[in-house]
């Protein structure tokens, strides 16, 4: 299958050069189709796209924004965030998409995070919308940051004018990706124009990107998967993009499936939870006649990949034309622009079944043999072109195959550093290698992820991955699936960690009623004891919305550990 060359006829060294080529040669071609909650669609051509981006560039220029200034976008998903992002880049400014306030974020934590980032990063301008303008203005009254309300933005600006300029060089920062955190946002990852171009070229080759591909995405654009795979790559490669809001998708998950059918979608990136979500939340009556035969790759990324999730998904949707070969996996992170590895495109996914006790005690992924307890891992594949990986021990020395250690990487599309955080950059980088904090092993050249280094719980010398425990608890009656957090709490008397579990119950259960929660606690303890070699010292049952989540919707283990210690242990 032919690969779309990122350099095309213009051989760009910056994203702006590529944008100019697209505007001049593909002005009438559809760049993106936006799907509204009522399924109305809005097709936007490249000509229209960059004309609207120029409108935002003009407004930013009028606000005094210059090349290199940081522009934050706090906007709901829709055309404004797309245009604002590119409008900033047209000036050589550095855009960054922030999550907007939703019901999964605590307002005080959220606005405090924004205030801290504005102060630390010296954000020049924030583009936002009416509902947030007043609150942001009151919180940021002591800063020099200018607020631009997209709802009152007046049309002006000329795309030809802005695209004819050359405000950025290849090594300049193109944009910032902020890592998600329990308080909203954390480190700003600086990515140069050259890094982004190099990444798109390598990843396009890895997934065999073709001019005939259609990418369908609901992913949030403030997350690297949505930003790179579901926005930057298709726009720059001239590949049709069909885009919907993640908040609309969560309320109506069938809209993704219907879009894949209607637009003959071929590529779609999904976090692991989405496979279970789609398989269980979509009614048969709503997808009668659905055809998923056009899909050549559903790419599981950003969460630990569960073989069971793939099995549930393919069983549900194979009758609608979905092929088993469409199930693929990618390991990615913002610090590498996006993709590190890719699996399942050229060959079926590999499944590794390893001896659980050997993994926990010796950190070796020994293939299971006999009746001993096992753990199953899905391969994340081999590194994409121009990217290398190593597995290292605590002393940063290389480990042999099937030994679990920290994953490190080096590529031609890595971050330039963390914005205004030189100490953090120095800690994470060593001789051109980036230390990911993720744990895993390599077998026959393919990468398998076992968990996060900082989340690892060590109990009496045994290494316990919290996600393994959390997955055991999802089907316990009364516990809201996906709403558990497992973490270690230091036991100073024993000199090791105790395991603590916090679990949210369904809304119809009173978390303060001991008669209602006692059977749940008993079942939690029993499942952990039956399936692992460890026991949970603490099992704390809480009401909905107790658990702290990151801005991308994931359970924040570190923040929940701190909350548990502060609110539960110190009170008890």
């Amino acid at each position: 299958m032919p690969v779309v060359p990122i350099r095309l006829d213009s051989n760009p060294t910056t994203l702006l050069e590529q944008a100019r080529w697209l505007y001049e040669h593909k002005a009438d071609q559809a760049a993106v189709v936006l799907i509204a909650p009522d399924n109305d669609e809005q097709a936007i051509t490249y000509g229209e796209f960059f004309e609207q981006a120029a409108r935002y560039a003009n407004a930013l220029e009028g606000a005094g924004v210059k090349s290199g200034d940081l522009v934050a976008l706090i906007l709901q998903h829709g055309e404004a965030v797309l245009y604002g992002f590119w409008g900033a880049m047209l000036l050589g400014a550095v855009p960054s998409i922030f999550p907007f306030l939703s019901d999964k974020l605590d307002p005080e934590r959220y606005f405090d995070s924004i205030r801290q980032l504005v102060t630390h990063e010296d954000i020049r301008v924030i583009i936002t919308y009416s509902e947030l303008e007043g609150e942001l203005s009151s919180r940021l009254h002591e800063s020099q940051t200018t607020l631009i309300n997209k709802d009152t933005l007046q049309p002006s600006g000329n795309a030809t004018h802005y695209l004819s300029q050359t405000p950025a060089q290849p090594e300049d920062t193109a944009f910032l990706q902020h890592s998600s955190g329990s308080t909203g946002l954390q480190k700003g990852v600086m990515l140069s124009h050259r890094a982004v171009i190099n990444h798109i070229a390598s990843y396009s080759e890895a997934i065999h990107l073709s001019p005939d591909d259609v990418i369908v995405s609901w992913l949030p654009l403030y997350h690297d998967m949505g930003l790179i795979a579901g926005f930057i790559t298709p726009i720059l490669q001239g590949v049709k993009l069909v885009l919907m809001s993640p908040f609309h998708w969560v309320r109506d998950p069938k809209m993704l499936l219907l879009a894949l059918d209607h637009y003959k979608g071929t590529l779609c990136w999904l976090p692991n939870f989405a496979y279970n979500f789609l398989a269980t939340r979509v009614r048969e009556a709503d997808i009668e006649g659905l055809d998923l035969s056009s899909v050549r790759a559903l790419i599981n990324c950003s969460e630990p990949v569960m073989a069971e999730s793939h099995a549930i998904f393919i069983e549900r949707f194979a009758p609608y034309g979905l092929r088993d070969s469409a199930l693929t996996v990618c390991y990615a992170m913002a610090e590498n622009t996006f993709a590190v590895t890719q699996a399942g495109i050229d060959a079926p996914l590999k499944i590794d079944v390893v001896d659980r006790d050997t993994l926990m005690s010796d950190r070796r992924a020994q293939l299971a043999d006999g009746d001993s307890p096992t753990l199953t891992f899905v391969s994340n594949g081999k590194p994409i072109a121009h990217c290398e990986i190593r597995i290292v021990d605590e002393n940063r020395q290389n480990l042999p195959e099937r030994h679990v250690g920290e994953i490190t990487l080096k590529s031609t599309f890595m971050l330039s550093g963390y914005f205004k955080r030189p100490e953090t950059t120095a800690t994470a980088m060593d001789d051109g290698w980036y230390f990911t904090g993720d744990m895993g092993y390599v077998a026959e050249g393919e990468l398998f992820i076992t968990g996060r280094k900082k989340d690892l719980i060590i109990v009496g010398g045994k290494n316990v991955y919290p996600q393994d425990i959390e997955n055991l608890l999802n089907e316990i009656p009364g516990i809201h699936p996906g709403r558990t957090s497992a973490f270690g709490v230091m036991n100073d008397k024993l000199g090791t960690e105790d395991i603590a579990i916090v679990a949210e119950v369904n809304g119809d259960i009173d978390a303060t009623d001991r008669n209602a929660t006692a059977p749940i606690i008993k079942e939690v303890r029993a499942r952990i004891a039956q399936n692992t070699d460890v026991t949970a010292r603490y099992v704390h049952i809480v009401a909905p919305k107790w658990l702290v989540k990151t801005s991308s919707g994931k359970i924040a283990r570190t923040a929940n550990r701190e909350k548990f210690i502060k609110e539960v242990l110190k009170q008890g």
Side-chain angles (χ1 to χ4, degrees), residues 170-339:
E171 302 307 326
D172 289 346
T173 300
F175 51 82
L176 292 188
Q177 292 193 66
H178 280 90
S179 59
S180 62
S182 58
T183 56
L185 297 166
Q186 295 178 331
K187 305 180 292 291
V189 177
M190 296 188 292
L191 296 170
S192 70
H193 287 263
R194 188 186 302 280
V196 178
I197 287 175
N198 287 344
H199 178 274
I200 293 174
S202 287
Y203 195 45
S204 295
E205 179 183 354
I207 61 175
H208 303 322
L209 193 65
S210 152
D212 297 326
D213 274 318
V214 177
I215 292 175
V216 181
S217 180
W218 59 267
L219 299 166
L221 298 177
Y222 51 77
H223 187 272
D224 59 303
M225 181 162 58
L227 181 63
I228 303 300
F231 179 36
I232 300 294
T233 295
I235 289 291
L236 287 177
Q237 288 285 44
V239 172
K240 188 173 184 179
L241 171 64
V242 179
L243 202 58
M244 63 194 72
S245 164
F247 301 96
H248 298 152
W249 172 77
V250 166
R251 298 187 188 102
D252 185 18
K254 71 176 184 295
M255 66 188 299
L256 176 68
L257 302 173
L258 297 178
L260 287 167
D261 179 343
H262 180 72
Y263 296 99
K264 303 303 176 189
T266 61
L267 294 168
C268 182
W269 283 259
L270 299 168
N272 191 83
F273 90 88
Y275 291 78
N276 299 70
F277 188 75
L278 285 163
T280 58
R281 298 295 182 89
V282 176
R283 299 183 303 175
E284 296 287 347
D286 291 335
I287 55 173
E288 186 176 350
L290 181 73
D291 181 6
L292 298 178
S293 61
S294 65
V295 179
R296 67 177 184 85
L298 292 173
I299 304 175
N300 194 331
C301 187
S302 92
E303 293 183 329
V305 178
M306 307 300 296
E308 296 88 346
S309 300
H310 279 183
I312 292 169
F313 190 83
I314 199 68
E315 180 181 5
R316 175 72 197 279
F317 295 111
Y320 298 95
L322 183 68
R323 297 181 297 275
D324 186 75
S325 62
L327 298 176
T328 73
V329 174
C330 171
Y331 170 58
M333 62 186 59
E335 286 84 355
N336 202 48
T337 301
F338 177 57

Side-chain angles (χ1 to χ4, degrees), residues 45-158:
T45 66
Y46 275 99
E48 294 166 339
F49 186 92
F50 287 113
E51 286 292 349
Q52 289 295 325
R55 174 187 172 203
Y56 280 80
N58 182 264
L60 291 169
E61 190 173 33
V65 172
K66 297 180 175 57
S67 180
D69 286 345
L70 184 59
V71 175
L73 306 168
I74 308 179
L75 294 165
Q76 295 168 313
H77 279 258
E79 55 186 318
V81 71
L82 309 182
Y83 301 149
F85 186 88
W86 275 94
M89 283 203 294
L90 289 178
L91 292 176
V94 180
S96 184
I97 299 175
F98 287 12
F100 62 89
L101 184 63
S102 66
D103 56 9
K104 72 181 179 183
L105 296 176
D106 177 81
E108 285 302 316
R109 284 175 174 265
Y110 174 80
F111 285 113
D112 187 58
S113 171
I114 297 294
R115 181 188 56 78
Q116 290 182 44
L117 275 175
V118 166
T119 302
H120 178 76
E121 297 184 343
D122 192 23
I123 294 172
R124 182 69 183 82
V125 165
I126 295 175
I127 304 177
T128 191
Y129 54 103
S130 297
E131 288 84 346
L132 286 188
E133 184 180 21
E135 191 68 41
L136 286 171
S137 180
S138 66
R139 302 278 183 148
L140 304 175
H141 68 277
E142 295 182 357
S143 75
Q144 300 300 310
T145 302
T146 299
L147 293 182
I148 294 179
N149 186 335
K150 66 95 176 173
D151 297 321
T152 59
L153 195 68
Q154 296 301 311
S156 60
N158 178 274

Side-chain angles (χ1 to χ4, degrees), residues 32 47 55 80 93 134 155 496 531:
V32 60
R55 174 187 172 203
T496 188
N531 292 276

Side-chain angles (χ1 to χ4, degrees), residues 377-392:
F377 297 104
V378 180
S379 170
N380 285 255
K382 297 180 179 180
I384 67 175
H386 307 296
C387 182
E388 304 173 66
I389 60 173
R390 295 187 301 151
I391 307 297
V392 300

